Amino acid sequence: MPSATVLVVEDERALRESLAYTLERQGYRVLTAVDGWQAVQVARQQAPDVIILDIMLPSMDGFEVCRALRPQVSSPILMLTARTEELDRVLGLELGADDYLTKPFSMRELQARIKALLRRVKIDQDNARPSSTEDSPSVWVFDDLEIDSLRHEVRLKGKALALKPKEYETLCYLAEHRGHVISRQKLLTEVWGWEYVGNSRTVDVHIHWLREKIEENPTAPRRIITVRGAGYRFEG
Ligand code: CA
């Protein structure tokens, strides 16, 4: 099996080199870029399997790089944030990033995130293959919201939504357990597959993004309900 290619975008030399070194030792093929402009060029030419993208970069920052890459480049993007203000922008905007890590982070955590992103891509590819043994209902209908598991597509009022893989998986899991409260930790385990205690903020981010897409009024959601101190409940 060919090793996955990771593009590391970081202007800080020490961090860039230590990331590259560690990932190479883990068996990844590593590409590096020192600024936003170079990141866009390399990502377009090489289509890496995962992009690790720092936000604070010369020439173009990480937000601009994200916007320049989407939707043509579909590689999953893991954003590195250093400051709370950046994190607020990552959480508040639909940038096309798939996950984020706040500095400082451990190499172990970084590797877990990369693996999760790669696994997600592989699941998508596997699901994209037509299956002849499909016998469970392939489309769930909740009023004007349809979840089509055969086509891996979610439609609102008949219009296909651009959901990121984890948004789709989160929605599917919640819909499968409609009416039940699902804790953030349960979602992390089921959707992200993390065996260790992950960052539950990741779940909140994806719920936030999902609501922006499927709720008529995302600030007063009626499909994905927050159950204080317990988790989330899908109402359909
Ligand atoms: Ca930086």
Side-chain angles (χ1 to χ4, degrees):
M1 198 180 120
S3 60
T5 301
V6 179
L7 169 61
V8 174
V9 187
E10 171 62 80
D11 59 315
E12 230 175 290
R13 189 175 158 192
L15 180 55
R16 184 178 65 245
E17 288 181 353
S18 97
L19 287 173
Y21 174 78
T22 311
L23 292 172
E24 268 165 9
R25 282 191 51 189
Q26 295 291 317
Y28 294 106
R29 180 174 163 249
V30 179
L31 306 166
T32 57
V34 299
D35 61 32
W37 187 85
Q38 192 185 20
V40 172
Q41 307 308 310
V42 175
R44 282 184 179 154
Q45 285 161 13
Q46 307 271 334
D49 296 299
V50 174
I51 301 171
I52 299 171
L53 178 62
D54 186 38
I55 290 178
M56 287 293 286
L57 292 168
S59 79
M60 290 167 82
D61 70 17
F63 298 114
E64 292 169 314
V65 171
C66 250
R67 274 192 292 271
L69 290 180
R70 296 293 191 233
Q72 294 86 355
V73 176
S74 61
S75 320
I77 296 176
L78 174 64
M79 298 281 258
L80 303 182
T81 77
R83 299 196 316 254
T84 337
E85 309 93 81
E86 292 174 355
L87 183 57
D88 288 343
R89 281 187 73 192
V90 174
L91 302 182
L93 293 175
E94 179 52 85
L95 290 160
D98 297 272
D99 203 353
Y100 71 91
L101 261 183
T102 311
K103 289 178 178 178
F105 52 84
S106 70
M107 286 298 172
R108 203 190 129 156
E109 185 165 22
L110 177 73
Q111 283 161 25
R113 300 297 182 92
I114 293 174
K115 276 191 190 143
L117 288 173
L118 289 171
R119 200 158 51 222
R120 206 70 315 122
V121 171
K122 193 179 174 302
I123 288 168
D124 280 356
Q125 285 165 351
D126 290 349
N127 287 350
R129 286 190 205 117
S131 158
S132 55
T133 55
E134 185 74 49
D135 54 1
S136 60
S138 64
V139 184
W140 290 318
V141 181
F142 305 100
D143 298 331
D144 52 6
L145 180 73
E146 293 167 60
I147 304 174
D148 185 335
S149 62
L150 205 56
R151 297 178 63 174
H152 229 236
E153 189 176 270
V154 177
R155 295 180 290 272
L156 185 66
K157 299 187 200 328
K159 215 175 137 234
L161 301 175
L163 293 195
K164 290 196 281 272
K166 270 188 249 179
E167 292 171 354
Y168 174 79
E169 306 257 327
T170 302
L171 181 61
C172 283
Y173 191 83
L174 288 172
E176 263 173 50
H177 301 87
R178 184 183 179 182
H180 294 266
V181 182
I182 309 294
S183 71
R184 291 170 175 80
Q185 190 54 49
K186 181 74 181 159
L187 281 169
L188 275 177
T189 310
E190 295 294 335
V191 176
W192 278 261
W194 297 347
E195 294 86 3
Y196 63 95
V197 182
N199 185 347
S200 65
R201 189 98 189 255
T202 304
V203 174
D204 298 337
V205 174
H206 283 77
I207 296 287
H208 172 88
W209 286 338
L210 263 177
R211 281 175 172 158
E212 295 282 327
K213 291 171 183 173
I214 67 166
E215 298 281 359
E216 209 156 296
N217 180 1
T219 54
R222 55 176 193 87
R223 295 202 139 116
I224 302 177
I225 312 295
T226 303
V227 182
R228 196 170 279 274
Y232 294 104
R233 190 180 67 227
F234 186 74
E235 287 294 336

